[in-house]
């Protein structure tokens, strides 16, 4: 692509690409240059997409689960066949390394379709006999209708497909809005949706910003269900906007996830994994561990080794396979993440590596990119907003604790409750601590090991509802109890 020719995206409505009169700029985070024009859709485009989805619903929902599963599997095949071009596009659009997109984002996007194509075939419903009244009760599950899906910019295709797959597998039709900052792979997938034999109107993708396209979607009376992944602040707007319509909501929100490292942990394995859990994907994963609490007796050893390991976690041009991190999503986000480090310093904390100390070695064309080295801070008080707010960047705070009770109290001392990691060889302690942590997911001596059958989601301000094999099936269907007297 020449420097001055922009990629211009179009909405995908009713099985056709539809141009939009207005656009917003999308930047390549590794260069700081505009490279793509994304439709700035509003009420009119959303209305057209909802109508297309409504028209497609009777036919699609009437298909058998096996017939729908075949289409999902074909779509997974097509994504895999185009894996490399999707990985390159995801990296350029989001700033992440090509390696991460190639090994995590795109394979998982294909697997999401495969997983739900399979899982939808294996659900059973409930039945109860009431012999004393001569009645038999059973339940049936029906698709809800048009599902509104809003996905974030950190794992663009991965989290979009995690919503589309279960929604259409059970017979709904969808209107999806990806983040305006990372819309390219969703647009590329639209072409494959056609090839896979998804009927027109079953999957509609409307591009644009939250306050226009997103607002029109969540406030539409004919969209009974909204699945959203993103910030807690945006979720509040969605809840208020959809309340008059009594919509079904699934909200996967932020995290400020603790790692609890006990003195009896395997420190070598722990440090290797905790560097990954803190800084993977530039720290732009809602499951990243941003608060690391270490038992006092091993605190100084851990800190020294952790800083040394973090320094080896390389940040730079996303296409270089030697780099672990690429660029952050936007100039504004980079400034926000940096402001947290500046705040920590002003409060007397120590920055051991990263921001202000280590600078990525960048070629000329990437000098204006949004890069930031992995940063480790100690000496931050638990009440500081650096410890309380989601930073969503390559920043980890390390802090000592004394004993199990204090570890749990510190871990639970924020308004979020998405994930936690616990490092200890003591089986009893692991079970006790896991039980007391206010988190939807607790990993012990590992991180981000996922069985998609099991519930995914958070407590407190980290969200409402769960996603996963059975949970997504329940969310994207309505249950009906049928009683028959014989």
């Amino acid at each position: 692509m020449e420097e001055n020719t922009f990629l211009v995206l179009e909405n995908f409505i009713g099985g056709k690409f539809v141009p939009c009169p207005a656009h917003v700029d999308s930047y390549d985070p590794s260069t700081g240059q505009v490279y793509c024009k994304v439709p700035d859709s509003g009420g009119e485009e959303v209305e057209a997409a909802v109508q297309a989805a409504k028209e497609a619903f009777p036919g699609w929902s009437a298909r058998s689960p096996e017939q729908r599963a075949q289409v999902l599997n074909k779509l997974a095949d097509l994504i895999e066949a185009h894996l490399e071009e999707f990985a390159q596009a995801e990296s350029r659009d989001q700033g992440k390394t090509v390696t991460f997109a190639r090994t995590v984002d795109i394979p998982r996007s294909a697997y999401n379709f495969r997983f739900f194509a399979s899982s939808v075939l294996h659900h059973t419903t409930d039945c109860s006999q009431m012999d004393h009244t001569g009645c038999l009760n059973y339940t049936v599950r029906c698709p809800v209708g048009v599902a509104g899906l809003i996905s974030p910019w950190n794992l663009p295709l991965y989290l979009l497909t995690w919503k589309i797959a279960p929604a259409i597998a059970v017979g709904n039709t969808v209107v999806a809005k990806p983040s305006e900052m990372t819309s390219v792979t969703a647009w590329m997938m639209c072409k494959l949706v056609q090839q896979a034999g998804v009927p027109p109107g079953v999957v509609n993708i409307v591009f644009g910003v939250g306050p226009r396209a997103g607002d029109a979607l969540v406030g539409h009376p004919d969209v009974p269900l909204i699945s959203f992944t993103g910030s807690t602040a945006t979720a509040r707007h969605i809840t208020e906007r959809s309340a008059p319509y009594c919509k079904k909501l699934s909200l996967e929100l932020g995290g400020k996830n603790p790692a609890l490292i006990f003195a009896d942990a395997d420190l070598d394995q722990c440090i290797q994994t905790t560097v990954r859990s803190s800084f993977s994907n530039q720290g732009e994963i809602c499951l990243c561990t941003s608060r690391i609490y270490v038992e006092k007796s091993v605190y100084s050893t851990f800190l020294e080794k952790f800083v040394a390991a973090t320094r080896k976690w390389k940040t730079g041009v996303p296409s270089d396979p030697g780099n672990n991190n690429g660029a952050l999503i936007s100039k504004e986000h980079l400034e926000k993440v940096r402001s947290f480090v500046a705040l920590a310093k002003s409060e007397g904390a120590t920055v051991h590596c990263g921001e202000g100390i280590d600078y990525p070695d960048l070629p000329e064309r990437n000098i204006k990119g949004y890069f930031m080295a992995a940063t480790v801070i100690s000496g931050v008080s638990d009440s500081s907003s650096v410890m309380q707010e989601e930073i969503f960047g390559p920043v980890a705070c390390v802090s000592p604790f004394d004993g199990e009770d204090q570890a749990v109290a510190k871990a639970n001392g924020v308004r979020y409750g998405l994930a936690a990691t616990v490092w200890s060889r003591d089986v009893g302690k692991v079970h006790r601590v896991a039980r007391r942590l206010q988190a939807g997911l607790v990993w012990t001596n590992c991180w981000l090991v996922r069985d998609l059958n099991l519930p995914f989601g958070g407590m407190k301000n980290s969200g409402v509802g769960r996603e996963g094999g059975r949970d997504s099936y329940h969310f994207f269907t309505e249950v009906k109890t049928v009683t028959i007297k014989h």
Side-chain angles (χ1 to χ4, degrees), residues 16-152:
K16 296 189 178 74
F17 285 99
V18 183
C20 189
H23 296 87
V24 291
D25 290 340
S26 182
Y27 291 78
D28 176 339
S30 72
T31 62
Q33 302 293 315
V34 175
Y35 91 106
C36 175
K37 300 281 187 182
V38 176
D40 185 13
S41 308
E44 205 174 304
E45 290 80 6
V46 169
E47 181 61 43
V50 172
Q51 288 312 316
K54 279 176 74 176
E55 282 166 34
F57 177 71
W60 180 246
S61 59
R63 290 197 185 192
S64 71
E66 289 81 2
Q67 289 171 321
R68 293 194 297 261
Q70 279 179 328
V71 175
L72 267 69
N73 279 318
K74 181 79 196 294
L75 185 50
D77 291 342
L78 288 164
I79 292 171
E80 277 170 352
H82 295 86
L83 191 143
E84 188 57 27
E85 63 194 86
F86 271 97
Q88 295 287 344
E90 200 74 297
S91 168
R92 180 161 192 196
D93 203 18
Q94 201 274 338
K96 68 179 74 226
T97 64
V98 174
T99 306
F100 195 90
R102 191 186 283 136
T103 55
V104 179
D105 290 70
I106 309 307
R108 173 61 193 273
S109 301
Y111 184 65
N112 284 339
F113 285 112
R114 275 199 215 298
F115 174 80
F116 286 106
S118 168
S119 103
V120 77
L121 305 178
H122 303 291
H123 296 289
T124 55
T125 52
D126 301 321
C127 174
S128 79
Q129 285 170 258
M130 294 172 71
D131 291 339
H132 59 290
T133 61
C135 287
L136 178 73
N137 307 300
Y138 65 91
T139 60
V140 288
R141 283 199 165 266
C142 321
V144 179
V146 179
L149 312 176
I150 301 175
S151 56

Side-chain angles (χ1 to χ4, degrees), residues 35 43 48 101 108 129 139 149 177 205 221 288 335 480-481:
Y35 91 106
R108 173 61 193 273
Q129 285 170 258
T139 60
L149 312 176
K177 189 201 89 67
I205 300 193
C288 278
E335 282 165 7
K480 183 184 298 181
T481 301

Side-chain angles (χ1 to χ4, degrees), residues 394-446:
V395 179
C397 298
V398 187
S399 179
F401 71 80
D402 219 349
E404 217 173 290
D405 288 346
Q406 194 182 63
V408 170
K410 283 176 178 282
N412 290 343
V414 298
R415 63 195 174 101
Y416 295 105
L418 184 53
T421 56
V422 180
W423 290 87
S424 169
R425 289 181 171 125
D426 180 336
V427 175
K429 183 189 288 175
V430 159
H431 286 293
R432 282 193 307 273
V433 171
R435 200 179 174 88
R436 295 172 67 190
L437 289 172
Q438 295 165 345
L441 304 122
V442 180
W443 282 289
T444 298
N445 300 327
C446 64

Side-chain angles (χ1 to χ4, degrees), residues 1 99 168 187 382 436:
M1 206 178 341
T99 306
I168 66 172
W187 171 75
D382 288 336
R436 295 172 67 190

Side-chain angles (χ1 to χ4, degrees), residues 198-222:
V198 178
V202 171
V203 174
N204 305 278
I205 300 193
V206 175
F207 299 101
V209 298
R212 275 171 53 72
D215 186 69
L217 182 57
V218 298
H220 198 293
D222 295 334

Side-chain angles (χ1 to χ4, degrees), residues 303-462:
L303 185 59
E304 189 183 326
K305 287 186 168 182
F306 184 65
V307 170
T310 299
R311 282 217 150 108
K312 291 181 184 151
W313 186 264
K314 286 179 131 176
T315 299
V317 180
S319 57
D320 183 342
N323 289 331
N324 304 93
N325 274 2
L328 274 69
I329 184 68
S330 67
K331 190 176 177 203
E332 295 74 17
H333 187 59
L334 175 62
E335 282 165 7
K336 182 192 130 178
V337 175
R338 281 183 168 153
S339 74
F340 277 104
V341 183
L343 176 63
K345 281 169 80 169
S346 74
E347 291 174 351
T350 306
V351 179
H352 295 269
C353 61
E355 178 60 18
I357 299 170
D358 304 298
Y359 295 96
D361 185 18
L362 300 167
E364 184 64 36
R365 75 183 294 268
N366 299 99
I367 294 291
K368 292 199 169 122
Y370 316 131
F371 296 91
M372 176 175 168
T375 302
V376 180
I377 308 177
S378 68
V380 182
S381 85
D382 288 336
S383 59
S384 165
S385 60
V386 180
M387 277 294 213
Q388 292 292 324
E389 301 301 321
E390 183 174 44
I391 298 173
F392 216 61
V395 179
C397 298
V398 187
S399 179
F401 71 80
D402 219 349
E404 217 173 290
D405 288 346
Q406 194 182 63
V408 170
K410 283 176 178 282
N412 290 343
V414 298
R415 63 195 174 101
Y416 295 105
L418 184 53
T421 56
V422 180
W423 290 87
S424 169
R425 289 181 171 125
D426 180 336
V427 175
K429 183 189 288 175
V430 159
H431 286 293
R432 282 193 307 273
V433 171
R435 200 179 174 88
R436 295 172 67 190
L437 289 172
Q438 295 165 345
L441 304 122
V442 180
W443 282 289
T444 298
N445 300 327
C446 64
W447 176 70
L448 205 52
V449 177
R450 286 275 295 121
D451 176 345
L452 301 192
N453 280 299
L454 297 180
F456 176 93
M459 300 178 181
K460 302 194 284 191
N461 278 18
S462 288

